[in-house]
């Protein structure tokens, strides 16, 4: 079955530590995204990538880094510079608007999230 | 005006009721619209796309009003299992081959026995 997988489901970070959240998809999607959701809040975009080896900052990129070396993978590193990392992190993917015939109608599909907390 | 706005609710409705949510957007060039459902402590899941002519999927009806720049979601015959937060999503073309996708903060629905 095609899908998008995030791991781990729960992650704890010590002060000063960098941690990496994994996101893998086998949907053959070009575009991938990372969001952060705080309790009772909406989703905020951290980083996104529309193609391999390219990514762009979202609205709240400070304290985070990403890489996109493979189409299937878009890991997110929460660095020690991110002072308030406790949140629910969601990875998503979508077909590239450039390739699809109905380019304007590409929803995102989400992984089941990683909950990050500070120890 | 915020880019995408939703009434946060909560909407508390009895089982069997009909309930409707609106989502307003500020970018008149917005192209694609979706409704997602998010259960507590879970990921958002695509509920339905919103087409210009309106579309229906069982008890759910989505409509787009471009003139007034809002989309709506109507749920008929509410079930307990419909209790969730409903997020609207708006996609706009932002030039140079890029698209901007904006989530609303969601409307919380509680269906009461």
């Amino acid at each position: 079955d095609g899908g998008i997988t995030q791991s781990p489901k729960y992650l704890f970070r010590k002060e000063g530590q960098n941690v990496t959240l994994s996101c893998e998809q086998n949907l053959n999607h070009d575009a991938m995204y990372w969001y952060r959701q705080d309790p009772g809040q909406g989703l905020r975009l951290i980083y996104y990538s529309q193609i391999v080896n390219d990514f762009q900052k979202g609205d709240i990129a400070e304290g985070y880094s990403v890489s996109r070396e493979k189409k299937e993978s878009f890991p997110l590193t929460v660095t020690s510079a991110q002072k308030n990392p406790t949140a629910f992190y969601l990875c998503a993917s979508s077909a590239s608007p450039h390739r699809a015939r109905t380019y304007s109608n590409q929803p995102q599909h989400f992984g089941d999230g990683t909950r990050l907390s500070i120890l | 005006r915020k880019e995408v706005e939703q009434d946060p609710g909560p909407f508390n409705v009895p089982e069997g009721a009909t309930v409707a949510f609106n989502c307003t957007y500020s970018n008149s060039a917005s192209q694609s619209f979706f409704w997602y459902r998010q259960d507590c402590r879970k990921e958002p899941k695509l509920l339905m796309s919103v087409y210009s002519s309106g579309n229906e999927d069982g008890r759910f009806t989505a409509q787009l009003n471009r003139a007034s720049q809002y989309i709506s979601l109507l749920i008929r015959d509410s079930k307990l299992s419909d209790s969730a937060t409903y997020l609207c999503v708006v996609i706009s073309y932002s030039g140079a081959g890029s698209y901007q996708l904006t989530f609303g903060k969601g409307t919380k629905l509680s269906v009461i026995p």
Side-chain angles (χ1 to χ4, degrees):
Chain A
D1 277 65
I4 182 165
T5 303
Q6 288 186 241
S7 63
K9 199 171 180 71
Y10 299 96
L11 186 60
F12 298 91
R13 194 194 88 169
K14 292 181 183 177
E15 199 170 331
Q17 185 184 38
N18 292 354
V19 292
T20 297
L21 284 59
S22 169
C23 179
E24 304 277 332
Q25 54 97 2
N26 59 3
L27 299 166
N28 200 33
H29 285 167
D30 286 304
M32 296 186 75
Y33 312 81
W34 274 106
Y35 293 91
R36 167 182 173 140
Q37 189 175 36
D38 293 280
Q41 301 296 314
L43 279 73
R44 291 187 289 168
L45 182 65
I46 304 173
Y47 268 99
Y48 66 100
S49 167
Q50 290 187 316
I51 198 166
V52 175
N53 292 323
D54 184 61
F55 49 82
Q56 307 294 329
K57 291 182 179 180
D59 301 318
I60 54 164
E62 188 173 345
Y64 300 96
S65 66
V66 293
S67 63
R68 187 85 189 277
E69 296 175 4
K70 298 187 299 182
K71 185 176 183 178
E72 302 80 16
S73 179
F74 191 40
L76 173 75
T77 296
V78 184
T79 74
S80 56
Q82 173 48 248
K83 298 306 179 189
N84 183 23
T86 298
F88 186 38
Y89 289 87
L90 288 157
C91 179
S93 70
S94 67
S96 169
H98 306 285
R99 304 265 179 94
R101 273 181 285 173
T102 52
Y103 70 89
S104 63
N105 198 17
Q106 302 303 317
Q108 293 186 353
H109 300 273
F110 286 85
D112 56 7
T114 293
R115 292 197 179 276
L116 176 62
S117 302
I118 298 180
L119 274 177
Chain B
R1 182 179 176 183
K2 292 181 184 173
E3 289 187 50
V4 176
E5 283 196 81
Q6 292 184 254
D7 182 340
F11 283 59
N12 298 317
V13 303
E15 246 183 312
T18 295
V19 61
F21 315 129
N22 280 350
C23 169
T24 59
Y25 60 94
S26 59
N27 185 347
S28 59
S30 297
Q31 297 178 330
S32 299
F33 308 88
F34 306 94
W35 282 104
Y36 280 75
R37 170 197 170 122
Q38 186 174 25
D39 292 288
C40 189
R41 300 178 68 82
K42 299 284 190 181
E43 77 276 19
K45 291 185 178 174
L46 179 65
L47 181 64
M48 58 198 303
S49 303
V50 186
Y51 302 121
S52 297
S53 54
N55 48 298
E56 191 174 301
D57 182 2
R59 297 182 292 109
F60 297 84
T61 301
Q63 291 193 310
L64 167 64
N65 185 318
R66 284 198 185 270
S68 300
Q69 293 183 205
Y70 72 87
I71 61 172
S72 63
L73 178 68
L74 180 81
I75 306 175
R76 288 181 299 278
D77 188 24
S78 300
K79 310 290 184 193
L80 296 177
S81 57
D82 294 333
S83 297
T85 296
Y86 291 84
L87 308 172
C88 67
V89 173
V90 176
I91 297 180
S92 308
Y93 182 63
S94 51
S98 293
Y99 291 80
Q100 180 175 349
L101 184 145
T102 306
F103 279 84
K105 291 189 176 181
T107 296
K108 185 172 181 180
L109 171 67
S110 292
V111 181
I112 304 162

